[in-house]
Amino acid sequence: MDKSDQQCKDVYAHYGLAMFCAQCLEQAIIIQILFLDHMPNAVAAFTTEEEWIQNFDEFIGHASSKTMGQLLGKLQKLGIPCDEPSQDLKTALKKRNWLAHCYFPERAVEFMNEQGRLEMISELETTHAYFRQVENKVNRITDEVSVKYGLTDGVKEKMMAQMLTEIKADI
């Protein structure tokens, strides 16, 4: 494999990481909606563990079928407990949509030469870092709300350990 082939693979890898980070942000938004909208109603209606699991799975499935724009619309209706991430979320949505729908067509010329690919890699690194930054802001807000439902750091650590054990993860 020559240098340009490797560099093309690197562009694709960085693009994949940026899209992964955008999807992580989308999941963070879903979890925030879960705690701001679903949990207050679901906890009151909870009768059996089976009902709880089914209700939870239905909520997650329904929310996961929404676009990021639809999720942000729902979050806006609910009122984010803090104004700071509102503009970041709008910017993240634009970046996500640009990445998903326009990135490679807009960068076709740059992709054809070494310097252009290096610039694309740098741009994608900045983009994935932005998604992570916004996700962290969303998670901080969600963490504050989730503690009301008993989801403390200790509980999360136990859940993660159990999941990793169950799937025999090697990470």
Side-chain angles (χ1 to χ4, degrees):
M1 174 176 0
D2 69 8
K3 183 178 178 181
S4 66
D5 288 342
Q6 182 57 50
Q7 198 177 42
C8 289
K9 287 182 178 185
D10 290 345
V11 169
Y12 295 136
H14 284 276
Y15 176 84
L17 179 59
M19 283 304 297
F20 168 77
C21 292
Q23 290 175 355
C24 288
L25 174 58
E26 285 179 285
Q27 290 303 305
I29 294 166
I30 289 170
I31 298 302
Q32 188 166 91
I33 293 169
L34 172 81
F35 280 106
L36 293 175
D37 185 44
H38 180 74
M39 292 291 282
N41 300 318
V43 168
F46 176 68
T47 55
T48 67
E49 185 176 347
E50 291 77 23
E51 270 185 88
W52 174 260
I53 291 169
Q54 180 181 351
N55 187 272
F56 178 86
D57 289 346
E58 286 173 3
F59 173 82
I60 295 295
H62 178 72
S64 295
S65 71
K66 303 291 184 192
T67 66
M68 189 173 177
Q70 291 169 328
L71 293 170
L72 291 182
K74 176 72 172 177
L75 199 55
Q76 186 175 12
K77 286 179 187 174
L78 292 171
I80 303 171
C82 169
D83 289 336
E84 181 187 349
S86 294
Q87 188 57 46
D88 289 332
L89 287 168
K90 290 175 187 173
T91 301
L93 174 61
K94 288 178 185 175
K95 284 182 181 286
R96 181 255 174 239
N97 288 343
W98 164 74
L99 197 62
H101 303 293
C102 304
Y103 187 74
F104 280 105
E106 287 184 7
R107 298 294 181 267
V109 172
E110 290 86 348
F111 192 72
M112 302 306 284
N113 65 70
E114 181 178 353
Q115 184 57 39
R117 289 188 295 272
L118 288 173
E119 291 169 8
M120 290 172 72
I121 289 169
S122 176
E123 179 177 54
L124 290 164
E125 287 173 340
T126 301
T127 302
H128 102 258
Y130 184 77
F131 289 135
R132 290 257 169 128
Q133 175 189 13
V134 177
E135 179 191 0
N136 287 335
K137 289 179 182 181
V138 170
N139 287 340
R140 280 193 298 275
I141 295 167
T142 303
D143 288 345
E144 291 174 16
V145 176
S146 68
V147 169
K148 289 193 285 189
Y149 297 100
L151 191 59
T152 63
D153 288 340
V155 170
K156 287 189 251 182
E157 287 172 17
K158 286 179 185 176
M159 291 170 64
M160 181 60 78
Q162 181 181 353
M163 284 190 288
L164 292 174
T165 299
E166 288 175 4
I167 63 170
K168 298 175 179 41
D170 59 4
I171 58 171

